[in-house]
Amino acid sequence: MHSGILTIEEAILRFGRAKRNGCRVVFTNGCFDLLHPGHIQSLEQARALGDALIVGLNGDASVRELKGPGRPILPELERAEILAALECVDAVVIFHEVTPRETIAALLPDVLVKGGDWAGDQIIGREEVEAAGGRVVSVPVVPGYSTTAILAKMRAAGSPSGQRNS
């Protein structure tokens, strides 16, 4: 397992408020089921807002609950390994609840980042982060990329009507 994949306890020991020494910790989260350029750009934008980026990753059960049967495509440890290998990601914490509220409340990042497709008042963890003096930033969604759209395209390509004669 990649050394950047941490339990919440390990993340607190490494990135908790008492360990920051003036470094700004940024947190974002998601399913990251099939990593695409939109994810990469959003993660790089999040990392640019601080000195360390922690990614909260939905565990398999929470992805199924959010996205439905057949998801995730890749299991949580594989998704975590891919994310942890990215240069812009300092740590990945897998959470098993449907929302990352508990993880955010435990870490209390300086900056909480979500995609612009989330209304400001709907961002989970906003209250906790702002109450601790942090800020919430919405980054624009990169148009043209969506895991759901990629999966639909793959299914269409594999269907009899989507096949071509050679």
Side-chain angles (χ1 to χ4, degrees):
M1 190 160 65
H2 192 283
S3 63
I5 302 171
L6 306 177
T7 64
I8 186 62
E9 294 80 12
E10 291 168 332
I12 290 168
L13 285 174
R14 192 178 302 176
F15 298 102
R17 293 229 160 195
K19 300 289 184 174
R20 292 190 190 155
N21 296 324
C23 291
R24 253 187 339 217
V25 172
V26 180
F27 181 92
T28 192
N29 66 279
C31 298
F32 300 99
D33 199 4
L34 293 178
L35 204 61
H36 55 67
H39 288 136
I40 302 297
Q41 290 177 36
S42 296
L43 290 168
E44 288 175 340
Q45 288 176 31
R47 177 59 172 80
L49 296 170
D51 302 302
L53 174 62
I54 302 172
V55 177
L57 180 68
N58 287 78
D60 292 345
S62 67
V63 174
R64 266 189 296 285
E65 191 167 334
L66 292 166
K67 304 291 185 177
R71 299 282 297 275
I73 301 301
L74 296 175
E76 61 192 39
L77 287 177
E78 290 180 24
R79 291 181 287 123
E81 186 93 19
I82 291 166
L83 286 167
L86 296 174
E87 185 178 342
C88 62
V89 174
D90 294 283
V92 176
V93 175
I94 300 170
F95 63 93
H96 300 284
E97 302 77 24
V98 175
T99 75
R101 185 178 307 280
E102 291 177 29
T103 302
I104 293 167
L107 280 171
L108 290 175
D110 300 296
V111 184
L112 173 61
V113 176
K114 278 305 279 183
D117 53 339
W118 284 82
D121 61 345
Q122 298 296 310
I123 295 175
I124 303 293
R126 170 184 282 282
E127 298 85 12
E128 292 82 355
V129 169
E130 289 180 344
R135 65 187 181 115
V136 177
V137 176
S138 182
V139 296
V141 172
V142 181
Y145 297 105
S146 153
T147 299
T148 302
I150 292 168
L151 291 173
K153 188 175 180 180
M154 290 170 64
R155 287 184 187 109
S159 72
S161 62
Q163 293 177 349
R164 296 184 198 133
N165 293 330
S166 300

